Amino acid sequence: MTDVGRLAGIARHAFPKAPMETIARATVTLEGGIAGDYRGGVKGRPHKRQVTLIERADWDRAMAALGADVRWAERRANLLVEGVDLPQIPGARIVIGDVVLEVTVECDPCSRMEAVAPGLKDALTPDWRGGVCTQVIAGGEIAVGDEIRIEQSCPNPSERSTISVTSAASASSSARI
């Protein structure tokens, strides 16, 4: 895996427990995350679970461990990525076109995963296999097939508010994760 990958899928759901809808492109905003996804904004404010991402390789490993074949969107993640290791460090930046996402926490699998496939919660638990939660730092348009880059990590929370998207891009060659 490298620091550059590809966006393999986009999914959203309009309200809690709604079926996941897969789409080819989406608008991402600071206030609402992925347009049409209820989780993107809580009372109009961004939060730590605004956009969730999972690696295709991790989903495939979980399915192999279970001997199951379940559609990735049943994980209830917003973005499926391939060819890149998602950073496991809060503050790391993920760039998709003009969109910049900042990793906030691990996306822990919940008990709802057991309804999808028995044992899925445990299969997604090791090594951040359930994915990452992010907050939108810069919005824009994304589409399946877009390049994904891991740009930067900001270990000190006080630094996050002072680092611009421009500096994240310019630091990419020296601050690779």
Side-chain angles (χ1 to χ4, degrees), residues 12-104:
R12 64 185 180 188
H13 52 306
F15 55 89
K17 299 183 183 175
M20 294 299 286
E21 170 191 23
T22 55
I23 55 178
R25 53 186 344 97
T27 300
V28 180
T29 67
L30 292 169
E31 302 79 22
I34 293 182
D37 187 70
Y38 93 94
R39 190 180 330 151
V42 175
K43 297 183 182 178
R45 294 188 340 228
H47 60 96
K48 69 180 182 175
R49 292 183 54 92
Q50 212 172 14
V51 177
T52 55
L53 297 87
I54 188 168
E55 295 174 36
R56 180 183 297 278
D58 283 343
W59 181 254
D60 291 347
R61 276 192 281 281
M63 291 297 99
L66 298 176
D69 184 21
V70 177
R71 186 174 77 108
W72 75 271
E74 296 304 313
R75 169 63 183 107
R76 306 193 68 75
N78 296 119
L79 304 178
L80 178 68
V81 304
E82 57 187 19
V84 66
D85 286 325
L86 291 171
Q88 298 178 359
I89 301 167
R93 301 270 171 106
I94 300 167
V95 178
I96 308 168
D98 294 332
V99 173
V100 179
L101 306 172
E102 184 175 278
V103 173
T104 55

Side-chain angles (χ1 to χ4, degrees), residues 55 58 61 85-86 88 106 122-132:
E55 295 174 36
D58 283 343
R61 276 192 281 281
D85 286 325
L86 291 171
Q88 298 178 359
E106 177 179 3
D122 287 342
L124 290 172
T125 299
D127 195 33
W128 290 49
R129 195 181 282 174
V132 298

Side-chain angles (χ1 to χ4, degrees), residues 75 106-113 120-125 130:
R75 169 63 183 107
E106 177 179 3
C107 191
D108 291 322
C110 68
S111 59
R112 290 193 67 201
M113 293 298 99
L120 183 55
K121 179 180 178 186
D122 287 342
L124 290 172
T125 299

